[in-house]
Structures are given as structure tokens and as C-alpha cells.
């Protein structure tokens, strides 16, 4: 964890330097360091070993039983395993990391003023739900990055293209399909403003206060959309929240 903090602080500092014209390379350097750090990681995250084992198992199966309810057969992920079979699992990690960091680099450059590059990097590195968690959940992270690529088309109200990106993301993690409604956000002409910030803060604390109700709504939504198999994540979240320390909760609030 210490190395993560040190690397993170260095990257935030470099991204901060990127606001200056003569030091505009700082942000690129920060993202490059993050790429190298994440590309060479090993058994970093709860699911890392499972991905290695699945890589071996999936590449030893000739035919898949897609009707097996105990397995999640995302065809896109299986296809990736097949492609990288000759090169090994770690080559897959390197390529995925290169793609994902490139998407984040593009997204920050496109939508965030350079004065705030450092803050974007800070949120990515020091919010445990981003870099740390994403290093473990490889399928979800790939799907999330593909969904990010749909944002320009959502802005341009190109609904079909945006939807195709999200559907493509679902080939790697089927839960991405639940995001299909966001393709219509381009038709919503609403600016955040002070009222929006207040509403957002109120909603945030309302979710904390009525977490069980929100969880129930999410569970029902997943069931209706055919994604009921992912409700176990919510059960895990309930258990983790019981064990969550006061310091961890305060840290999450500060990050928010």
C-alpha cells in the first residue's frame, strides 16, 4: 500500500505541473507511470488469482455450456482469453492496462480543464473504488472504459452509436446493459449549477440514510433486466458496510 501512496502522490504532482505550458508533459508522464505500475502488478487484488485460473481453464475447454447458471460466459472476455493464449495471461494484463489508461488519458484531456488534471488523477488513485478496485475487477474495468468511449456520441445525440458501445461493453461484463438509458442524456438540457450541487448532496446523504430501500430498488431493477446474478455483489456490500470502520467511512465522505 505504501508504494501505491508514493506512486499516487508523484503522479498527482506531475499532473499538477501539467497546467503550465512548459511543463505540459507532466500529465502524460503521470499517466505513463500509472500504466507501468499497473501493467507489472502481480496478484494485486482479490480476484487476480481467479483471473489467472480462469485463463487456464477457459483455454483448455473446447466447447462452453452457456446454459450453466454457475458460470458467467461473457463471449467477449472468452474471446480475449483465446486471443492471448499464445502470449500468456500477463500479456493480456499489459494490453488491457494500456487500453484503459489511454481511455482515462483521453477522457481527462477532453473533458477536464488542465488546471484540474491533478484533481482527476487524485480521485482516480486515492478513491479505493477506482484504481485499487479496478485492478482486481478486470472485466468490469474494461466494460467501464468502453462505456466511457460512448460519451462523445451521447453529447452529440447519436443514440444508436452510443448504444452500440454499451452493448459491446456488455460482451465483457453483461451488467453494462443496465446503462443503456444513459444514451438519452444528450437530450437533457440541464446544467449543474448551485441548485444541482445542493440536490446532489441531499441525494447522496439520502442514499446513505435509506440504503436498504435503495439496495432493494437496485435488486429489483437487476432482476427485471435479467441481471439478477449480480445481486450477490449487493449482499457482499452489506457485509462489508457492517465491518467498515468509522475512519474508512469518513475518508469516503471526504473523497466524495
Amino acid at each position: 500500500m505504501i508504494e501505491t501512496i508514493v506512486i499516487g502522490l508523484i503522479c498527482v504532482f506531475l499532473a499538477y505541473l501539467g497546467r503550465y505550458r512548459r511543463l505540459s508533459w507532466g500529465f502524460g508522464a503521470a499517466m505513463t507511470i500509472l500504466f507501468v505500475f499497473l501493467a507489472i502488478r502481480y496478484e494485486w487484488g482479490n480476484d487476480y488469482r481467479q483471473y489467472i485460473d480462469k485463463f487456464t481453464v477457459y483455454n483448455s475447454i473446447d466447447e462452453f455450456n452457456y446454459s450453466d447458471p454457475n458460470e458467467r460466459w461473457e463471449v467477449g472476455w472468452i474471446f480475449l482469453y483465446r486471443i492471448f493464449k499464445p502470449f500468456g495471461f500477463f500479456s493480456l494484463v499489459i494490453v488491457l492496462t494500456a487500453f484503459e489508461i489511454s481511455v482515462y488519458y483521453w477522457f481527462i484531456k477532453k473533458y477536464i480543464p488542465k488546471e484540474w488534471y491533478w484533481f482527476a488523477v487524485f480521485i482516480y488513485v486515492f478513491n479505493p473504488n477506482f484504481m485499487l478496485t479496478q485492478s482486481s475487477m478486470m472485466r468490469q474495468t474494461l466494460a467501464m472504459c468502453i462505456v466511457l468511449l460512448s460519451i462523445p456520441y451521447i453529447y452529440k445525440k447519436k443514440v444508436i452509436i452510443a448504444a452500440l458501445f454499451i452493448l459491446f461493453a456488455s460482451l465483457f461484463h453483461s451488467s453494462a446493459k443496465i446503462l443503456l438509458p444513459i444514451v438519452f442524456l444528450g437530450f437533457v438540457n440541464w446544467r449543474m449549477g448551485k441548485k444541482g450541487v445542493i440536490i446532489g448532496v441531499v441525494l447522496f446523504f439520502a442514499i446513505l440514510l435509506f440504503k436498504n430501500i435503495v439496495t432493494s430498488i437496485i435488486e429489483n431493477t437487476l432482476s427485471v433486466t435479467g441481471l439478477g446474478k449480480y445481486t450477490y455483489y449487493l449482499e457482499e456490500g452489506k457485509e462489508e458496510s457492517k465491518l467498515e470502520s468509522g475512519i474508512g467511512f469518513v475518508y469516503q465522505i471526504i473523497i466524495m
Side-chain angles (χ1 to χ4, degrees):
M1 186 59 67
I2 294 177
E3 62 271 17
T4 306
I5 295 173
V6 172
I7 290 292
L9 290 174
I10 292 173
C11 291
V12 169
F13 177 69
L14 288 172
Y16 179 82
L17 295 179
R19 64 167 54 193
Y20 302 108
R21 182 177 298 179
R22 293 182 180 179
L23 300 172
S24 59
W25 49 266
F27 175 59
M31 299 303 283
T32 300
I33 291 174
L34 287 176
F35 159 68
V36 174
F37 178 67
L38 294 172
I40 62 175
R41 71 186 189 275
Y42 178 69
E43 291 200 2
W44 205 46
N46 297 332
D47 296 343
Y48 194 94
R49 171 54 58 179
Q50 294 181 31
Y51 278 110
I52 295 177
D53 294 340
K54 290 289 186 181
F55 183 85
T56 302
V57 172
Y58 284 10
N59 280 320
S60 64
I61 297 175
D62 295 325
E63 295 184 5
F64 295 94
N65 180 13
Y66 291 97
S67 62
D68 186 352
N70 297 318
E71 287 288 351
R72 297 195 299 272
W73 305 109
E74 276 87 359
V75 294
W77 192 251
I78 293 173
F79 183 66
L80 279 180
Y81 273 172
R82 295 294 202 193
I83 290 178
F84 284 89
K85 180 180 180 180
F87 310 105
F89 175 78
F90 303 107
S91 64
L92 173 61
V93 173
I94 293 172
V95 171
L96 287 180
T97 302
F99 170 73
E100 291 155 7
I101 291 296
S102 296
V103 170
Y104 292 140
Y105 175 84
W106 159 81
F107 189 79
I108 293 172
K109 289 277 286 188
K110 185 173 180 64
Y111 293 110
I112 298 178
K114 61 182 179 180
E115 291 79 10
W116 292 101
Y117 286 172
W118 69 272
F119 191 61
V121 173
F122 173 81
I123 292 296
Y124 173 65
V125 174
F126 290 102
N127 186 334
N129 294 317
F130 291 132
M131 188 179 81
L132 288 176
T133 303
Q134 290 180 7
S135 297
S136 177
M137 51 182 211
M138 297 182 192
R139 292 184 303 120
Q140 294 95 322
T141 304
L142 176 58
M144 290 160 65
C145 286
I146 295 172
V147 170
L148 276 183
L149 295 175
S150 72
I151 299 298
Y153 300 100
I154 293 175
Y155 269 121
K156 296 174 183 177
K157 303 177 183 178
K158 296 183 177 181
V159 174
I160 295 178
I161 298 178
L164 288 175
F165 269 100
I166 295 175
L167 290 174
F168 181 62
S170 71
L171 296 179
F172 303 96
H173 203 280
S174 56
S175 64
K177 288 184 287 188
I178 203 170
L179 294 176
L180 278 171
I182 72 172
V183 301
F184 299 105
L185 285 178
F187 297 96
V188 179
N189 187 19
W190 179 61
R191 294 184 179 276
M192 195 71 172
K194 293 181 180 179
K195 291 183 179 179
V197 173
I198 294 173
I199 292 172
V201 172
V202 171
L203 285 174
F204 174 69
F205 284 102
I207 290 172
L208 291 180
L209 291 173
F210 303 102
K211 195 170 184 179
N212 290 335
I213 297 176
V214 174
T215 300
S216 178
I217 293 173
I218 295 174
E219 287 177 342
N220 291 331
T221 303
L222 288 173
S223 298
V224 170
T225 55
L227 299 171
K229 59 187 176 183
Y230 293 111
T231 56
Y232 78 93
Y233 284 118
L234 299 174
E235 295 301 323
E236 288 183 353
K238 290 177 183 177
E239 294 301 319
E240 290 173 1
S241 64
K242 293 177 182 177
L243 302 174
E244 192 175 54
S245 67
I247 295 175
F249 178 75
V250 172
Y251 178 75
Q252 291 283 12
I253 293 293
I254 292 173
I255 292 293
M256 182 65 185

